[in-house]
Amino acid sequence: MTNIKEIAQYAGVSVSTVSRVMNNHPYVSPEKRKSVLQAIDQLNYSRNINAIHLSKGKTNLIGVIIPFTNHPYYGAIVQGITKQANAIGYHIVIFQTQYEREKEIQALNMLQMKQLDGIIVCSRISEMKVLLDYQKYGPIILCEDTAQAELSSISIDHYAAFSSALEYVVAKGYKKIGYSLGRKKSRNSSLRTKAFNDIMNKYHLLNKKEWLFEGSYHIKDGEKLFQDWNSMIDKPEAIIITNDDTAAGFILTANKFGMKVPEDVAILGFNNDSLSEMLDITTVSLPLDWIGKMAVDLFENPKVIRHVKLDYTLMKRKTI
Amino acid sequence: MTNIKEIAQYAGVSVSTVSRVMNNHPYVSPEKRKSVLQAIDQLNYSRNINAIHLSKGKTNLIGVIIPFTNHPYYGAIVQGITKQANAIGYHIVIFQTQYEREKEIQALNMLQMKQLDGIIVCSRISEMKVLLDYQKYGPIILCEDTAQAELSSISIDHYAAFSSALEYVVAKGYKKIGYSLGRKKSRNSSLRTKAFNDIMNKYHLLNKKEWLFEGSYHIKDGEKLFQDWNSMIDKPEAIIITNDDTAAGFILTANKFGMKVPEDVAILGFNNDSLSEMLDITTVSLPLDWIGKMAVDLFENPKVIRHVKLDYTLMKRKTI
């Protein structure tokens, strides 16, 4: 049976180059890679990657858990993860969960079965104790502002970011303030709700439960949000919408109904994606690409548990 | 060493259930899956998935080659691929190429090394003959309107779709027509260019090379496209922009400059994503989610080479 030395000799490269090609390492010139692969073919080399994985205990795959692929927030994080993963010789396996617990468990099982070297959880469904059970099989990195200490995490300080957005709205003179979340029960949403309640108490402002909206994920949710807001008799004068796509959807729908932002209702968004820039949406800019990159850094250094918080910036534009 | 029968006995399930859990098959109840995994743990079962892959010759992974993850066009196709892949017990490995040939080759190499069971190419960089070289290692499915007969493909009829869009623009009375592509040299773009030239000839309309723009991928490219268009002395009166995000960017930028669409310049987009609906962009609706699903169908049935074309629809809205 052919071995790695014979392949190296046939291809006219070093043994370490052959090894790098087999492990899909990026730093191999295209010509050398081609020579090695041709040699493998020619010499009818029957070794395959799964044998390598068995012996090395590594697949060079990282699982990434997200609710949906087609969304600017998760798209930006995944882009950051992918770039950094590729730079260190890894590829990513996408787990699109639509918030179904079972799909998250599938990814964790693949980690247990050694088909993944680690997992980055961009939006968690399972309880923390479930994830902790799988920790022994490989690094599990959380993209959330977490309270626990056993799994590394990368996030922004969601309580502080939401507070500073709200302080800005209050400073602008608004008294009747509402807000819209994605999934109300997520860790990040809980922090935002706490921030909202604390600030409303601080300034003795009205805190009506009807002014807490949820289900804001996509641009079309903004259309629904506008209808819900518009049908209220007692409306908030300003709304913090925790993703720019939904904020954009709200604003464009308001315009269709002859309303102006901020004149008829003020809007503050989150994320600072390109659409918010084009629509001049006042928003909190989140370093999503960096969150992705740092998640991979944390994956690479699993021996030290770290909780990294990145900065956010309030982009003062025209919608409030 | 523990074997599958002992695990089944310990977990109180059938041997086929244990097998299904090990192959990450979706149709296992959460309780049974948990029992099996606990049994594997308890019995210190050292078999791992790579051994299974070696023996079965299957990884249940499909590689998906796209230029960028964070884009509505590719996001929609990937969403369709992911849903259908998950339904048949597969997961997807994302290869974000940014149009770099080397990244595409990495994916093909992983197919050769049996780390993937197949590849879906959403946007091809390598020459066809390169892909054909790898065909023997597993199914390679193209998402392009292809002229070759050896690899299955799923697409829309890009020549027909672009022609019908252009016929609509001409029927509306426009004589000075331009268009903007993504990557000029892609297969789909070549078909669109041919369609443009044929229609301009058919109606004896001016076909200025300055009125062919390229690099339209994202919403911010629409801003640049507007500046390029606006700086021309002899401008097209109508532009077909082959993705709605860029069309939206163009329109929003035009509005900022005090211009109206269609009054100052008419715009026709492509894709029919949610943003185009919100902005009332006249566009060609492409069944991207279905393209993704069908690509997985074709992957499942590799013995028959098929070229599937899906229908498109012209959504007549307000920008032309």
Side-chain angles (χ1 to χ4, degrees), chain A residues 73-88:
Chain A
Y73 179 87
Y74 295 105
I77 297 179
V78 166
Q79 193 148 271
I81 291 173
T82 309
K83 270 191 278 187
Q84 188 60 18
N86 289 170
I88 62 164

Side-chain angles (χ1 to χ4, degrees), chain A residues 226 230 251-261 263-264:
Chain A
F226 174 82
N230 201 26
I251 292 165
L252 293 173
T253 309
N255 291 342
K256 281 190 194 184
F257 277 75
M259 294 200 190
K260 287 185 186 271
V261 173
E263 293 84 347
D264 294 305

